[in-house]
Amino acid sequence: MEKLKNFISLLFKFILSRITSHTIYSIIAVGLGYFLVEATLSQLSPVIGTLQNLAAAVFTLTGIWIAYSYPQAIAAYTSPKSVKIIPSDETARIEGLVLIVIKSAFVISALLIFNLLYLLISKTHFYQAYRNDFKIVGVSFLCYLSIIQLKAIFVLIITNIEFVNELHKKKDEKIADEDL
């Protein structure tokens, strides 16, 4: 029972930490939804396809990056008694990469649900009666997913740059130590 309470507490803190940024993303997405309400599904199809491909690629590549670059973290997870504690900067980087994987998985799942819902409701009278409202919601949702995925890509780029900078720093430190 204590583990469940701890999990719920951590989940609640995580959600609260994200509310501000996602509120801003939602406002931007709704604004774009109103602006792009006249877009047709055929005009949005390239966006949906690109978003799907980007999310799948980022999801896959980030997962591989985590597994390849952090064998100590993977080993710590699978056999915690045999591995030393992971440095906090490495833990933060791994956490960031895991969040990127989660964001991309969310985008892929949301696109699947979006396409399925469109298929299910597009022929109903209710949809036809409120077609513009549905279009605003749909376009806004696609814009929101695009913002989330773009943020994930930018965080991945920054993480890779930081990783390369740390490699150069460690290399320079090793060369300096050898010169002494």
Side-chain angles (χ1 to χ4, degrees):
M1 187 65 167
E2 186 64 31
K3 286 184 178 183
L4 179 61
K5 287 181 183 178
N6 193 21
F7 173 76
I8 291 171
S9 173
L10 289 173
L11 181 63
F12 185 70
K13 287 178 185 176
F14 176 78
I15 290 170
L16 281 178
S17 71
R18 303 299 194 251
I19 285 177
T20 303
S21 59
H22 285 275
T23 300
I24 294 168
Y25 303 158
S26 297
I27 291 168
I28 293 169
V30 170
L32 289 170
Y34 276 105
F35 180 71
L36 298 171
V37 71
E38 297 301 321
T40 64
L41 187 59
S42 63
Q43 291 172 318
L44 294 173
S45 288
V47 173
I48 295 170
T50 302
L51 187 56
Q52 179 181 351
N53 292 337
L54 277 173
V58 170
F59 177 82
T60 303
L61 293 174
T62 306
I64 292 169
W65 205 83
I66 291 169
Y68 180 75
S69 298
Y70 300 104
Q72 185 180 14
I74 302 300
Y77 178 72
T78 57
S79 57
K81 294 179 182 174
S82 66
V83 179
K84 294 186 267 182
I85 295 175
I86 302 168
S88 61
D89 59 333
E90 294 294 309
T91 303
R93 182 177 293 133
I94 294 168
E95 179 183 327
L97 290 172
V98 169
L99 287 174
I100 290 169
V101 169
I102 291 169
K103 286 177 185 179
S104 294
F106 172 76
V107 168
I108 292 170
S109 301
L111 284 172
L112 175 64
I113 292 167
F114 177 83
N115 286 328
L116 184 61
L117 284 175
Y118 179 77
L119 179 67
L120 292 172
I121 67 169
S122 64
K123 302 295 182 201
T124 65
H125 295 294
F126 185 72
Y127 176 83
Q128 297 303 326
Y130 297 98
R131 186 178 173 140
N132 266 359
D133 296 332
F134 276 106
K135 283 179 76 175
I136 290 170
V137 170
V139 173
S140 297
F141 187 65
L142 289 176
C143 291
Y144 177 75
L145 293 177
S146 298
I147 292 168
I148 290 174
Q149 192 59 55
L150 284 171
K151 184 179 178 198
I153 290 168
F154 292 137
V155 169
L156 183 60
I157 290 169
I158 290 167
T159 301
N160 280 309
I161 291 170
E162 288 172 349
F163 180 73
V164 169
N165 285 339
E166 286 177 27
L167 285 177
H168 285 291
K169 181 180 173 185
K170 288 178 183 180
K171 178 185 170 194
D172 292 343
E173 287 173 1
K174 183 178 178 183
I175 290 171
D177 286 344
E178 289 174 356
D179 288 342
L180 295 175

